[in-house]
Amino acid sequence: LRRSMAVGSDVRLFSCLGSHAHRGAVLAAAPTRRPVLPLLPTSAPAMLRRERWQVSASGGPLSRRSFSTDALPAIAQGALGLLSFAAKAYALILLAVFALQRKLIFLPQERVIDPKMQGGNPEVILLAGKSGDEQRAAVYFPPPRPDAPILVYFHGNADEIGNGAAYLGNMFRANYGLGLFGIEYPGYGLARPGSP
């Protein structure tokens, strides 16, 4: 089987040997100054196997390579690059969360609310911390009767004793005859300066 292909004024002759022992073909013409264009086989079995013929730039023998083996390193390299980028982004997010965890977890309000603003005449207790730089705070709503129970209240995040404790202290005292002792977390409300 002989084929020829014209490249400019030069003519290339390719000889394709059909023997299974000899895989490939041999370049029969002399090398030229221009690169040789690849020839695609026209036989149906070769097209079904998705094979192509390649000529080396030096004019050496033709080699047969599969499209799947050509694409596999590029796909693997792209997947590895994407995986590497995702791992670096995830590590950066974890590092940022670790560095900012106290600011993300503890959310004290900027404004300080006095528990006496809700009424009921509570007793506001302010104490100095052990270091002397911090302040501790609590609010006490005495029960109407001396033998009535007293509830101890710890507010939730982003709250302070001027909000929840003051409201609940007045409500439990008026409706149920109970006292309330609300404790402020360091860094919240009246317990400033300090940090949770």
CSV table of all heavy atoms in Angstrom, one decimal, residues 154-180:
chain,number,residue,atom,x,y,z
A,154,PHE,N,-28.0,32.4,83.4
A,154,PHE,CA,-26.8,32.7,82.6
A,154,PHE,C,-27.3,32.9,81.2
A,154,PHE,O,-27.9,32.1,80.5
A,154,PHE,CB,-25.9,31.5,82.5
A,154,PHE,CG,-25.2,31.1,83.8
A,154,PHE,CD1,-25.9,30.2,84.7
A,154,PHE,CD2,-24.0,31.7,84.2
A,154,PHE,CE1,-25.3,29.9,85.9
A,154,PHE,CE2,-23.4,31.4,85.4
A,154,PHE,CZ,-24.1,30.5,86.3
A,155,HIS,N,-27.1,34.1,80.7
A,155,HIS,CA,-27.7,34.5,79.4
A,155,HIS,C,-26.9,33.8,78.2
A,155,HIS,O,-25.9,33.3,78.4
A,155,HIS,CB,-27.7,36.0,79.2
A,155,HIS,CG,-26.3,36.7,79.1
A,155,HIS,ND1,-25.5,36.6,78.1
A,155,HIS,CD2,-25.7,37.4,80.1
A,155,HIS,CE1,-24.4,37.2,78.3
A,155,HIS,NE2,-24.4,37.7,79.5
A,156,GLY,N,-27.5,33.9,77.0
A,156,GLY,CA,-27.0,33.3,75.8
A,156,GLY,C,-26.0,34.2,75.2
A,156,GLY,O,-25.7,35.3,75.6
A,157,ASN,N,-25.4,33.8,74.1
A,157,ASN,CA,-24.5,34.6,73.3
A,157,ASN,C,-25.1,35.8,72.7
A,157,ASN,O,-26.3,35.7,72.4
A,157,ASN,CB,-23.8,33.7,72.2
A,157,ASN,CG,-22.5,34.2,71.7
A,157,ASN,OD1,-22.0,35.2,72.2
A,157,ASN,ND2,-21.9,33.5,70.8
A,158,ALA,N,-24.4,36.9,72.6
A,158,ALA,CA,-24.9,38.2,72.1
A,158,ALA,C,-26.0,38.7,72.9
A,158,ALA,O,-26.8,39.5,72.5
A,158,ALA,CB,-25.4,38.0,70.6
A,159,ASP,N,-26.1,38.4,74.2
A,159,ASP,CA,-27.1,38.9,75.2
A,159,ASP,C,-26.3,39.5,76.3
A,159,ASP,O,-25.1,39.4,76.4
A,159,ASP,CB,-28.0,37.8,75.6
A,159,ASP,CG,-29.3,38.4,76.3
A,159,ASP,OD1,-29.5,39.6,76.3
A,159,ASP,OD2,-30.1,37.6,76.8
A,160,GLU,N,-27.0,40.2,77.3
A,160,GLU,CA,-26.4,40.7,78.5
A,160,GLU,C,-27.4,40.8,79.6
A,160,GLU,O,-28.6,40.7,79.3
A,160,GLU,CB,-25.7,42.0,78.2
A,160,GLU,CG,-26.6,43.1,77.7
A,160,GLU,CD,-25.9,44.4,77.4
A,160,GLU,OE1,-25.2,44.5,76.3
A,160,GLU,OE2,-25.9,45.3,78.2
A,161,ILE,N,-27.0,41.0,80.8
A,161,ILE,CA,-27.9,41.0,81.9
A,161,ILE,C,-28.9,42.2,81.8
A,161,ILE,O,-30.0,42.2,82.4
A,161,ILE,CB,-27.2,41.0,83.3
A,161,ILE,CG1,-26.3,42.2,83.4
A,161,ILE,CG2,-26.5,39.7,83.5
A,161,ILE,CD1,-25.6,42.3,84.8
A,162,GLY,N,-28.6,43.2,81.1
A,162,GLY,CA,-29.5,44.4,80.9
A,162,GLY,C,-30.7,44.0,80.0
A,162,GLY,O,-31.7,44.7,80.1
A,163,ASN,N,-30.6,43.0,79.2
A,163,ASN,CA,-31.7,42.5,78.3
A,163,ASN,C,-32.5,41.4,79.0
A,163,ASN,O,-33.5,41.6,79.6
A,163,ASN,CB,-31.2,42.1,77.0
A,163,ASN,CG,-30.8,43.2,76.1
A,163,ASN,OD1,-31.4,44.3,76.2
A,163,ASN,ND2,-29.9,43.0,75.2
A,164,GLY,N,-32.0,40.2,78.8
A,164,GLY,CA,-32.7,39.0,79.2
A,164,GLY,C,-32.9,38.8,80.7
A,164,GLY,O,-34.0,38.6,81.2
A,165,ALA,N,-31.8,39.0,81.5
A,165,ALA,CA,-31.9,38.9,82.9
A,165,ALA,C,-32.9,39.9,83.5
A,165,ALA,O,-33.7,39.6,84.4
A,165,ALA,CB,-30.6,39.0,83.5
A,166,ALA,N,-32.8,41.2,83.0
A,166,ALA,CA,-33.7,42.2,83.6
A,166,ALA,C,-35.1,41.9,83.3
A,166,ALA,O,-36.0,42.1,84.1
A,166,ALA,CB,-33.3,43.6,83.0
A,167,TYR,N,-35.4,41.5,82.1
A,167,TYR,CA,-36.8,41.2,81.7
A,167,TYR,C,-37.3,40.0,82.5
A,167,TYR,O,-38.4,40.0,83.0
A,167,TYR,CB,-36.9,40.9,80.2
A,167,TYR,CG,-38.2,40.3,79.7
A,167,TYR,CD1,-39.3,41.2,79.6
A,167,TYR,CD2,-38.4,39.0,79.5
A,167,TYR,CE1,-40.5,40.7,79.2
A,167,TYR,CE2,-39.6,38.5,79.1
A,167,TYR,CZ,-40.7,39.3,79.0
A,167,TYR,OH,-41.9,38.8,78.6
A,168,LEU,N,-36.5,38.9,82.5
A,168,LEU,CA,-37.0,37.7,83.2
A,168,LEU,C,-37.1,37.9,84.7
A,168,LEU,O,-38.0,37.3,85.4
A,168,LEU,CB,-36.0,36.5,82.9
A,168,LEU,CG,-36.1,36.0,81.5
A,168,LEU,CD1,-35.0,35.0,81.3
A,168,LEU,CD2,-37.4,35.4,81.1
A,169,GLY,N,-36.2,38.7,85.3
A,169,GLY,CA,-36.2,39.0,86.7
A,169,GLY,C,-37.5,39.7,87.1
A,169,GLY,O,-38.2,39.3,88.1
A,170,ASN,N,-37.9,40.6,86.3
A,170,ASN,CA,-39.2,41.3,86.6
A,170,ASN,C,-40.4,40.4,86.4
A,170,ASN,O,-41.4,40.4,87.1
A,170,ASN,CB,-39.4,42.6,85.7
A,170,ASN,CG,-38.4,43.7,86.1
A,170,ASN,OD1,-38.2,43.9,87.3
A,170,ASN,ND2,-37.9,44.4,85.1
A,171,MET,N,-40.4,39.6,85.3
A,171,MET,CA,-41.5,38.7,85.0
A,171,MET,C,-41.6,37.6,86.1
A,171,MET,O,-42.7,37.3,86.5
A,171,MET,CB,-41.3,38.0,83.6
A,171,MET,CG,-42.5,37.2,83.2
A,171,MET,SD,-42.2,36.2,81.7
A,171,MET,CE,-41.1,34.9,82.4
A,172,PHE,N,-40.5,36.9,86.4
A,172,PHE,CA,-40.6,35.9,87.4
A,172,PHE,C,-41.0,36.4,88.8
A,172,PHE,O,-41.8,35.7,89.6
A,172,PHE,CB,-39.3,35.1,87.6
A,172,PHE,CG,-39.0,34.2,86.4
A,172,PHE,CD1,-37.8,34.1,85.8
A,172,PHE,CD2,-40.0,33.3,86.0
A,172,PHE,CE1,-37.5,33.3,84.8
A,172,PHE,CE2,-39.7,32.4,85.0
A,172,PHE,CZ,-38.5,32.4,84.3
A,173,ARG,N,-40.6,37.6,89.1
A,173,ARG,CA,-41.0,38.2,90.4
A,173,ARG,C,-42.4,38.5,90.4
A,173,ARG,O,-43.2,38.2,91.4
A,173,ARG,CB,-40.1,39.4,90.7
A,173,ARG,CG,-40.4,40.0,92.0
A,173,ARG,CD,-39.5,41.2,92.2
A,173,ARG,NE,-39.8,41.7,93.6
A,173,ARG,CZ,-39.1,42.6,94.2
A,173,ARG,NH1,-38.1,43.1,93.6
A,173,ARG,NH2,-39.5,43.0,95.3
A,174,ALA,N,-42.9,39.2,89.4
A,174,ALA,CA,-44.3,39.6,89.4
A,174,ALA,C,-45.3,38.4,89.2
A,174,ALA,O,-46.3,38.4,89.8
A,174,ALA,CB,-44.5,40.6,88.2
A,175,ASN,N,-45.0,37.5,88.3
A,175,ASN,CA,-46.0,36.4,88.0
A,175,ASN,C,-45.8,35.2,88.8
A,175,ASN,O,-46.8,34.5,89.1
A,175,ASN,CB,-45.8,36.0,86.5
A,175,ASN,CG,-46.1,37.1,85.5
A,175,ASN,OD1,-46.8,38.1,85.9
A,175,ASN,ND2,-45.7,37.1,84.3
A,176,TYR,N,-44.6,34.8,89.3
A,176,TYR,CA,-44.4,33.6,90.0
A,176,TYR,C,-43.9,33.7,91.4
A,176,TYR,O,-43.7,32.7,92.1
A,176,TYR,CB,-43.5,32.7,89.2
A,176,TYR,CG,-44.0,32.4,87.8
A,176,TYR,CD1,-43.4,33.1,86.7
A,176,TYR,CD2,-45.1,31.6,87.6
A,176,TYR,CE1,-43.9,32.9,85.4
A,176,TYR,CE2,-45.5,31.4,86.3
A,176,TYR,CZ,-44.9,32.0,85.2
A,176,TYR,OH,-45.4,31.8,83.9
A,177,GLY,N,-43.6,34.9,91.8
A,177,GLY,CA,-43.0,35.2,93.2
A,177,GLY,C,-41.6,34.6,93.3
A,177,GLY,O,-41.2,34.2,94.4
A,178,LEU,N,-40.8,34.6,92.3
A,178,LEU,CA,-39.5,34.0,92.3
A,178,LEU,C,-38.4,35.2,92.3
A,178,LEU,O,-38.7,36.2,91.7
A,178,LEU,CB,-39.2,33.1,91.2
A,178,LEU,CG,-40.1,31.9,91.1
A,178,LEU,CD1,-39.9,31.1,89.8
A,178,LEU,CD2,-39.9,30.9,92.3
A,179,GLY,N,-37.3,34.9,92.8
A,179,GLY,CA,-36.2,35.9,92.6
A,179,GLY,C,-35.3,35.4,91.5
A,179,GLY,O,-35.4,34.3,91.0
A,180,LEU,N,-34.4,36.3,91.0
A,180,LEU,CA,-33.5,35.9,89.9
A,180,LEU,C,-32.1,36.5,90.2
A,180,LEU,O,-32.0,37.7,90.6
A,180,LEU,CB,-34.0,36.4,88.6
A,180,LEU,CG,-33.2,36.0,87.4
A,180,LEU,CD1,-34.1,35.2,86.4
A,180,LEU,CD2,-32.5,37.1,86.7
